[in-house]
Amino acid sequence: MTMDLLWVLWSLVTASMAIHMEAGGSHSMFTCEPITLRMCHDLPYNSTFMPNLLNHYDQQTAALAMEPFHPMVNLECSPDLRTFLCALYTPVCTEYGRMTLPCRRLCQRARAECHQLMEIFGLSWPEEMECERFPECEDPYPRPADLLPSSSVTAEPPAPVQRDYGFWCPRELKVDPGLGYTFLGARDCSAPCPSMHFRRDELLFARYFVGVVSIVCLSATLFTFLTFLIDMARFRYPERPIVFYAVCYMMVALVYFLGFLLEDRVACNPASPGRFRAATVTQGSHNKACTLLFMTLYFFTMAGGAWWVVLTLTWFLAAVPKWGSEAIEKKALIFHAAAWGLPGILTVTLLALNKVEGDGLSGVCFLGMHDRPALRWFLLAPLCFDVVLGVALLLAGIAALNRVRMEIPLEKENQDKLVKFMIRIGVFSALYLVPLLTVIGCYMYEHSYRPLWETSWVQEKCRHYHIPCPYKVKQTSHPDLALFLIKYLMTLVVGIPSVFWVGSKKTCFEWASFFHGHRRKDSMVKESQQALQEPDLSQLLLREPGPPVARKSRGTSTQGTSTHASSTHLAMLDEPASASTSRAGSVRSKASSHRGSQRRSRDGRCTATSFRPTEERLPYGSLPRLIDQPRLCSTTRLDSQSRHGSTQRLDSQSRHGSTRDLCITAQAVQSTPGNGIHRVVEEDGATA
């Protein structure tokens, strides 16, 4: 008994090591069936099991594979050849789960005696029948212990056996071993390419549709990135992640555009008619072009979602704890490490797991086309996490902004800016979240229905490919092309909202100045800087609810306003009216004592010889409006008895007794973008 058990174990181990069985799991529904092959009749046994030791799923397939050996069997080149062939193609059905292999001596005798005759017929000994694959033994086949009590020959016709054989890879879809290909659970097998569900005209329409949408997205995101390059100082935190977000989807659109140009030359393996192989979907990293497209597309898709989370985080930091631009910018290294590092780790992991798949519809390489676990854990899970975290931070920031608008008494201009900023955040977030949620919904629908689509495809193509048909199929379904078109559309539309954020009159002025060759902002852009600037979130949120108090800013605003000017401005806003009046009087006295001497050049233009800037605020309504005209000289006369200071004439006591012209330059009076004096003066004058 012990020897019998050892023999069974040895047979099982040898079978698993010697003969490659692609669908070893099919034996889980192990049942015996009568032998229908005429060559294997009149043997000591009349029942066999399928799939057999050579991986034939039924006896009809085994009979086709045995046809080349019929001449040798009929000529009786060896008495052992028929027994050896039947032991492989129709093995004896033993107890549940047992497989018995023929002995190596039986194989060697059959091959040695029929070798010359096989050469005459132009046949070679098959590799899967090499004698070294079988155990060394002397027992006949079948052994007496393998015969079942009910294995006596019956005259009744064999009844067809119906069971689920699983998916058997057809010869047309076979690929070279060792590349890591899998399709529907079958190894060294790949799906047909370019698509197993759609017709050629539908594929052509989908290809052009994806190409057009990718061009639109590429243009929009490229415009956003070039606008950033023209004026990088304009896009500071918390708005700067929008630029990196646009760069990510610019690369995504570029990959889809390349897929449109390449068609199916990268996503598909070419057909090989000489080897009876059709075009199949590319898998793994052996195709360098496909791997490069996959790395770029997946990395920047995940990085785009990560930068969306960083964007909502910076808005949250500016709205709730009221961080300034400089305080947020100090964390930029952490933002970049997380937004670029995590997608890189996921990309390298997928390459190590060999999860690259070609997409015949779009012509690119991605993941999850037929691998549902990869789709679930490496695409759906990160996207859902980005959406949940980003929405939570976004709602918290909007709630804080709304509290500021309702509770903190701000000027009407700042109230309007804050409302405008909230509307922009809401519109931008909706334009991002709606397409992204649609993409996630499409992937979830595809993840749920793909097994049914694949079973329906096997049901339709099983007779064409001569493979087992599915057993007891109750429902069939086919994917709709519109689902995939919506998925590709929303994948690319996600990158377009970035252009709505930078779209403003200021952007038009910058591009007009750029195309006219003026790299500096001209006077028109300078004058419109205050009126056309984006809402300064850092300055609007510096005051807490409650009694007005003077406090310092935690950082500069997104437009470059200095911390000193911001804190001074807030101190003036919080001072009582009497204090402001007294300060205005002192400043007025200092301003009236200011003198500047200028001289006229030979060509008649005025140049300043001396200028002493002052940082004190001027009294309410005492500063005249100055227009930036560098080459115009306003000849004014300082009247020592004038109170308004609008038109003054300077009486000099020179030897000629002539009246000198006073030339006021805009560069000496108008403040720089990093100074808050100009804004304070305008607001103080309006208050007065």
Side-chain angles (χ1 to χ4, degrees), residues 660-682:
R660 293 186 178 182
D661 296 332
L662 177 62
C663 181
I664 304 177
T665 60
Q667 291 82 357
V669 179
Q670 186 170 353
S671 61
T672 61
N675 196 347
I677 298 178
H678 183 67
R679 180 186 298 178
V680 172
V681 169
E682 288 186 353

Side-chain angles (χ1 to χ4, degrees), residues 511-527:
W511 277 99
S513 176
F514 176 78
F515 282 120
H516 284 82
H518 302 289
R519 300 306 299 266
R520 299 191 311 269
K521 294 188 178 75
D522 55 8
S523 60
M524 183 179 300
V525 176
K526 287 183 178 180
E527 289 185 33

